[in-house]
C-alpha cells in the first residue's frame, strides 16, 4: 500500500508570522501547558495561511 501523491506547487514558499513562543511550540523541542494554547494558536495561523494559499491557487475551489 505504497501510494504516492503529488502536492501541486508543493515547493512554493509561504509566509507565516509567529511569535517566538509559537515557533518554539511548533518546533517540538518545547512543551507549554495545554491551557496556554500556544501550539494551538500557532497551528491555526499556519492552517489559515495554507487554506488561503490553496484557495488562491485553485480557482475551481471557489
Amino acid at each position: 500500500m505504497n501510494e504516492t501523491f503529488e502536492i501541486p506547487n508543493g515547493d512554493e514558499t509561504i509566509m507565516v508570522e509567529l511569535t517566538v513562543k509559537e515557533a518554539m511550540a511548533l518546533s517540538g523541542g518545547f512543551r507549554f501547558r495545554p491551557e496556554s494554547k500556544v501550539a494551538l494558536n500557532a497551528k491555526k495561523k499556519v492552517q489559515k495561511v495554507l487554506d488561503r494559499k490553496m484557495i488562491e491557487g485553485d480557482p475551481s475551489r471557489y
Side-chain angles (χ1 to χ4, degrees):
M1 188 184 237
N2 286 341
E3 293 183 32
T4 60
F5 64 94
E6 191 174 314
I7 299 172
N9 303 324
D11 292 328
E12 285 186 35
T13 60
I14 59 171
M15 300 291 288
V16 180
E17 190 169 328
L18 300 173
T19 66
V20 172
K21 287 182 182 179
E22 290 169 339
M24 290 168 63
L26 288 182
S27 72
F30 298 89
R31 290 190 176 200
F32 292 86
R33 294 181 182 195
E35 61 270 9
S36 72
K37 298 183 181 178
V38 173
L40 179 64
N41 290 340
K43 288 178 184 179
K44 284 182 179 180
K45 285 182 180 182
V46 172
Q47 186 64 50
K48 185 177 179 180
V49 171
L50 283 174
D51 288 346
R52 204 176 306 138
K53 181 69 174 177
M54 296 305 290
I55 290 172
E56 182 181 285
D58 185 4
S60 67
R61 292 189 63 182
Y62 293 128

